[in-house]
Amino acid sequence: MTIIAVDGPAASGKGTIARALARHYALPHLDTGLLYRAVALNLLRWGGDPESEFAALRACDFAQTDFADAELKSEMVGGVASRISAYPAVRAALLERQRDFATQPGGAVLDGRDIGTVIAPDADAKLFITATPEVRARRRLEELLKLGRTSHYEDVLIDIRARDERDASRAAAPLRRAQDAQLLDTSELSVEAAVAQAVAAVESRLHVVDHRPAI
Ligand code: DC
């Protein structure tokens, strides 16, 4: 069983890297941000109050959720997802689903904020993907423009910084690099180069020779 944990802030490239690793190792992949986004979208559609932990917990019922819904990717939903992900009850409600995915026979690749620290602390390989806020804002802006949404660089940058601050400062499972995670800064890298470095980093962990003396 091979578990690969990929964490990092918004628009760092972690999703692209996680998908590429999943393809490379023929493992199933879970974008855990989608779970928090689905809770946020459920809440918005029901008219629930994002300030209420109880309402957010009720929105964790995925019976009606379409994970292919394009609205899940919107900035609005991302912002609410970042808010409701600070609630311990919401994190607890989503924990088992993520752990089950991680520990399925054969293993899996998961990307998010707390995979290496909370969901799969014993993962075989852990990556922490970063890029400067400016680079991430530019990438996010390009994505939004491609989707036909009008956005401005300054607004996206403010949004990215606010999200970083919220994700890193919350008490429950904050965004932070696991001690044994390998850091990969994608600011200056093309997608191909970032993926190649990620594969090399994972390889170096999967083929660690055990030097402990045999007893
Ligand atoms: O990666 P993303 O932008 O789709 O994630 C949306 C929000 O969900 C993010 O701001 C914080 C939250 N999240 C989390 O708290 N833990 C995760 N493992 C994944 C996402």
Side-chain angles (χ1 to χ4, degrees):
M1 180 164 86
T2 306
I3 303 176
I4 302 175
V6 183
D7 289 302
S12 57
K14 65 181 187 306
T16 305
I17 287 173
R19 277 191 300 277
L21 287 171
R23 255 195 318 275
H24 185 85
Y25 291 104
L27 290 171
H29 165 239
L30 180 65
D31 167 2
T32 62
L34 269 187
L35 300 177
Y36 292 91
R37 286 172 179 268
V39 174
L41 187 58
N42 278 345
L43 188 70
L44 288 168
R45 291 206 169 136
W46 292 344
D49 180 5
E51 298 301 315
S52 158
E53 182 165 1
F54 180 68
L57 180 60
R58 283 188 54 196
C60 289
D61 175 7
F62 294 132
Q64 312 288 328
T65 305
D66 169 12
F67 284 98
D69 191 328
E71 199 47 36
L72 287 172
K73 293 284 178 192
S74 75
E75 288 299 278
M76 167 80 170
V77 169
V80 175
S82 170
R83 263 169 225 284
I84 56 91
S85 68
Y87 297 135
V90 169
R91 304 202 72 83
L94 303 185
L95 183 81
E96 203 171 278
R97 179 187 267 255
Q98 297 174 79
R99 284 243 168 99
D100 286 350
F101 192 92
T103 56
Q104 64 187 289
V109 180
L110 288 86
D111 75 84
R113 302 289 191 290
D114 63 340
I115 309 304
T117 51
V118 176
I119 304 297
D122 297 328
D124 301 279
K126 298 180 185 177
L127 297 180
F128 193 86
I129 315 297
T130 59
T132 64
E134 291 77 12
V135 167
R136 291 188 283 124
R138 224 165 291 129
R139 286 181 189 156
R140 187 43 61 86
L141 180 67
E142 271 170 33
E143 276 172 24
L144 290 172
L145 295 178
K146 258 190 231 152
L147 290 172
R149 311 209 172 161
T150 40
S151 290
H152 299 283
Y153 172 76
E154 283 73 20
D155 295 337
V156 178
L157 182 59
I158 288 170
D159 205 61
I160 289 250
R161 286 194 198 279
R163 200 113 83 76
D164 283 359
E165 170 64 23
R166 245 192 331 258
D167 292 349
S169 65
R170 69 178 179 226
L175 168 68
R176 67 177 175 79
R177 176 185 170 190
Q179 255 179 0
D180 52 350
Q182 303 182 77
L183 186 67
L184 178 55
D185 187 330
T186 64
S187 304
E188 311 270 327
L189 300 177
S190 64
V191 171
E192 295 72 25
V195 167
Q197 290 199 15
V199 170
V202 170
E203 283 294 299
S204 74
R205 286 293 159 94
L206 297 186
H207 297 295
V208 176
V209 181
D210 192 343
H211 292 295
R212 281 174 301 181
I215 349 175

